[in-house]
Amino acid sequence: MRTTLPDVPAQVSRPPGRFLRVTAVRRVGVLGARGKVGAEVCRAVESADDLELVAALDVDDALEQLSEAGADAVVDFTHPDAVMGNLEFCVGRGIHAVVGTTGFDDERLRTLEGWLTDAPGVGVLIAPNFSIGAVLMMRFAAAAAPYYESVEIIELHHPTKADAPSGTARRTAELVAAARREAGSGPVPDATSTGLEGARGAEVDGIHVHSVRARGLVAHQEVVLGGVGETLTIRHDSMDRASFTPGVLAGLRAIGDRPGLTVGLEHVLGLD
Ligand SMILES: NC(=O)C1=CN([C@@H]2O[C@H](COP(=O)(O)OP(=O)(O)OC[C@H]3O[C@@H](n4cnc5c(N)ncnc54)[C@H](OP(=O)(O)O)[C@@H]3O)[C@@H](O)[C@H]2O)C=CC1
Ligand SMILES: O=C(O)C1=N[C@H](C(=O)O)C[C@H](O)C1
């Protein structure tokens, strides 16, 4: 399948050497290859004319297979408990990484930046959501945030999801909170003084986030903004995990030219 997202030309061949810059990613390894998203990514890489799937690894497979297969880059859709070990291995061996796995906080990002400092030329892209609609939803929410007194986030996912709230909801809350701070907005109004624990959801940067888990759902999010006499709801739905693959392929095509750490697909799509 060809992506409609911007392609980065693949034109420079790989020089020898551990940390010499690879400007064109061709040989791709997938971690979490038997998972729901990983399997979809394997299919997308195999269908792309300019990419080659050289390793499809899952839990208990040796990461050394990535080096043996000569992977230029990996795609990681595994588990928050596994992703840091995977990245330490890849960065240490000069393998770029495009990461969808969630669970990144400031401490993890700082650790990763430390590893990347010792591996100049290696690029890691972490995106809480690889679907174009979700990236736009986050951007629209941040743009709307200064105009509304209230804002809350409701994320809805399949019941096999390990983390709550979702990485996308966390990131949206951070972006919305930053936009409100910049605009000089005060805290969101909330008179709740009594209630059951959890009834008002989790708080991320002062923004309430509610997590729904139900069979039949894939990945969905609403940002509800409220002002005097009106509300604005921005909603995104991923009905199929194929929605993530064009963004992953765009990340693979860009990562060779983005040494260091990039957080967010918007930077690859030129939406920053
Ligand atoms: N950024 C984005 O756009 C998106 C991000 N995600 C995130 O991606 C991650 C995976 O999601 P999803 O595909 O739904 O989850 P799945 O559980 O379906 O897939 C994860 C796969 O990774 C395997 N795995 C676990 N540990 C390792 C390891 N150390 N090395 C290799 N493989 C491993 C699992 O094996 P086993 O089942 O045996 O443990 C499983 O096959 C989650 O963090 C999710 O939030 C999901 C969708 C989109
Ligand atoms: O686990 C999932 O399914 C998803 N995880 C990501 C997240 O936590 O935001 C992206 C998307 O919501 C699907």
Side-chain angles (χ1 to χ4, degrees):
M1 185 186 74
R2 295 295 299 171
T3 171
T4 53
L5 298 179
D7 283 1
V8 173
Q11 57 201 8
V12 184
S13 64
R14 181 181 193 171
R18 192 163 168 237
F19 291 126
L20 289 180
R21 194 155 158 199
V22 179
T23 52
V25 162
R26 176 158 194 96
R27 300 172 67 78
V28 178
V30 174
L31 300 176
R34 286 200 300 271
K36 290 185 285 295
V37 184
E40 204 63 63
V41 170
C42 287
R43 278 190 284 278
V45 169
E46 282 181 312
S47 304
D49 296 341
D50 58 332
L51 300 172
E52 192 184 338
L53 183 67
V54 296
L57 309 185
D58 207 88
V59 69
D60 294 338
D61 288 331
L63 290 172
E64 280 70 25
Q65 290 183 49
L66 294 169
S67 316
E68 286 159 17
D72 301 320
V74 298
V75 177
D76 189 305
F77 280 89
T78 57
H79 191 280
D81 293 344
V83 65
M84 289 302 279
N86 292 343
L87 288 177
E88 186 172 18
F89 176 92
C90 291
V91 171
R93 281 155 186 82
I95 300 172
H96 304 297
V98 171
V99 182
T101 306
T102 45
F104 284 90
D105 54 14
D106 285 347
E107 194 187 332
R108 283 184 168 210
L109 294 177
R110 272 198 304 274
T111 302
L112 184 49
E113 277 175 330
W115 295 335
L116 284 164
T117 306
D118 296 334
V122 178
V124 174
L125 167 66
I126 295 175
N129 202 309
F130 276 95
S131 93
I132 177 72
V135 174
L136 291 171
M137 175 258 298
M138 287 187 259
R139 194 180 169 85
F140 296 156
Y147 300 98
Y148 288 90
E149 207 183 344
S150 297
V151 56
E152 303 221 355
I153 298 170
I154 304 153
E155 56 94 339
L156 310 92
H157 281 83
H158 56 95
T160 55
K161 183 164 178 57
D163 55 320
S166 69
T168 307
R170 276 174 185 260
R171 178 81 175 142
T172 311
E174 287 163 6
L175 293 172
V176 161
R180 288 175 63 96
R181 265 195 304 276
E182 184 133 326
S185 312
V188 292
D190 183 3
T192 312
S193 59
T194 177
L196 284 181
E197 200 189 325
R200 296 286 294 114
E203 243 185 83
V204 179
D205 230 345
I207 308 296
H208 288 266
V209 181
H210 309 269
S211 297
V212 177
R213 298 289 175 265
R215 191 72 68 201
L217 294 174
V218 178
H220 318 259
Q221 181 168 298
E222 285 188 5
V223 182
V224 181
L225 300 120
V228 178
E230 63 166 311
T231 62
L232 169 66
T233 302
I234 303 169
R235 179 169 174 121
H236 174 258
D237 297 276
S238 272
M239 268 90 70
D240 191 307
R241 291 179 177 84
S243 61
F244 304 118
T245 56
V248 170
L249 296 191
L252 283 169
R253 291 177 178 129
I255 195 61
D257 283 322
R258 297 193 71 94
L261 178 62
T262 303
V263 179
L265 186 65
E266 59 272 24
H267 306 294
V268 167
L269 300 181
L271 289 169
D272 49 354

